[in-house]
């Protein structure tokens, strides 16, 4: 599984703010949220909170950040889904996804300055991934109520893509 690469619109003001921050000021984003692990605090919270309390806290986080209420989840499975969600990931992974969301481009990581991008890529801005070069058959599986990702745009961009 991989994160979605094309985002329709940010569903909430907090996520829109994070996206803009990561895109326009990546160094500030890393300063505020850490350099390596995203949501590392979850491991600490999970260790000290009962599973039901952690599950409620995690659901509240998603509800706040994505504006996804009960209608987006199978209520009987919610305690299971949120017992381990959100899971940790790399801060750079999160920042790059937020940058792609803000720019509307599926591009490599933006270092936030023309100089640093030139050092990494030989050009002032990060290069866009050429998804037309993906030749393997690709299946995209998504939820019917997913309003965050633009699956049709992905299917139109990647050859041999099936929704």
């Amino acid at each position: 599984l991989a994160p979605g690469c094309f985002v329709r619109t940010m569903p909430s003001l907090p996520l829109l703010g994070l996206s803009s921050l990561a895109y326009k000021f990546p160094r500030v984003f890393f300063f505020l949220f850490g350099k390596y692990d995203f949501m590392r605090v979850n491991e600490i919270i999970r260790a000290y909170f009962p599973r039901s309390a952690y599950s409620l806290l995690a659901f509240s986080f998603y509800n706040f950040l994505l504006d996804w209420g009960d209608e987006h989840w199978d209520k009987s499975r919610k305690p299971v889904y949120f017992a381990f969600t959100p899971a940790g990931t790399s801060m750079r992974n999160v920042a790059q996804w937020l940058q792609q969301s803000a720019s509307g481009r599926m591009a490599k990581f933006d270092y936030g300055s023309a100089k640093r991008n030139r050092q990494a890529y030989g050009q002032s801005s990060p290069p866009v991934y050429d998804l037309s070069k993906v030749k393997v058959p690709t299946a995209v599986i998504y939820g019917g109520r997913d309003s965050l990702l633009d699956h049709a745009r992905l299917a139109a961009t990647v050859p041999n893509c099936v929704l």
Side-chain angles (χ1 to χ4, degrees):
L1 296 175
C5 60
F6 295 117
V7 176
R8 288 185 185 150
T9 58
M10 287 296 165
S12 70
L13 195 56
L15 198 55
L16 181 62
L18 285 176
S19 180
S20 296
L21 183 65
Y23 179 58
K24 294 177 182 175
F25 307 103
R27 288 167 42 182
V28 174
F29 180 82
F30 285 118
F31 176 77
L32 292 174
F33 295 101
K35 212 172 185 181
Y36 302 107
D37 297 335
F38 180 71
M39 302 297 286
R40 186 175 180 99
V41 70
N42 279 344
E43 301 304 318
I44 297 165
I45 294 170
R46 192 178 292 127
Y48 293 102
F49 276 65
R51 182 178 277 191
S52 60
Y54 179 82
S55 179
L56 179 62
L57 184 65
F59 172 74
S60 299
F61 171 78
Y62 268 83
N63 193 13
F64 171 74
L65 197 58
L66 298 171
D67 198 23
W68 288 357
D70 275 336
E71 69 277 4
H72 287 89
W73 309 100
D74 176 349
K75 290 178 190 168
S76 68
R77 301 290 301 156
K78 204 164 69 170
V80 176
Y81 297 152
F82 290 104
F84 304 102
T85 303
T89 188
S90 155
M91 275 303 295
R92 188 161 154 176
N93 184 39
V94 171
Q96 183 179 9
W97 186 82
L98 290 168
Q99 289 174 353
Q100 290 174 177
S101 303
S103 70
R105 301 169 3 139
M106 175 76 173
K108 292 188 175 185
F109 180 77
D110 188 340
Y111 287 94
S113 76
K115 180 181 176 183
R116 293 189 68 205
N117 285 331
R118 213 175 271 106
Q119 288 172 338
Y121 309 120
Q123 59 190 52
S124 61
S125 62
V128 174
Y129 290 106
D130 185 357
L131 297 178
S132 69
K133 291 182 178 179
V134 176
K135 302 298 180 196
V136 296
T138 305
V140 176
I141 301 165
Y142 61 96
R145 293 184 181 165
D146 189 344
S147 60
L148 183 62
L149 302 176
D150 189 346
H151 310 96
R153 182 176 173 200
L154 177 62
T157 306
V158 177
N160 300 317
C161 185
V162 178
L163 293 179

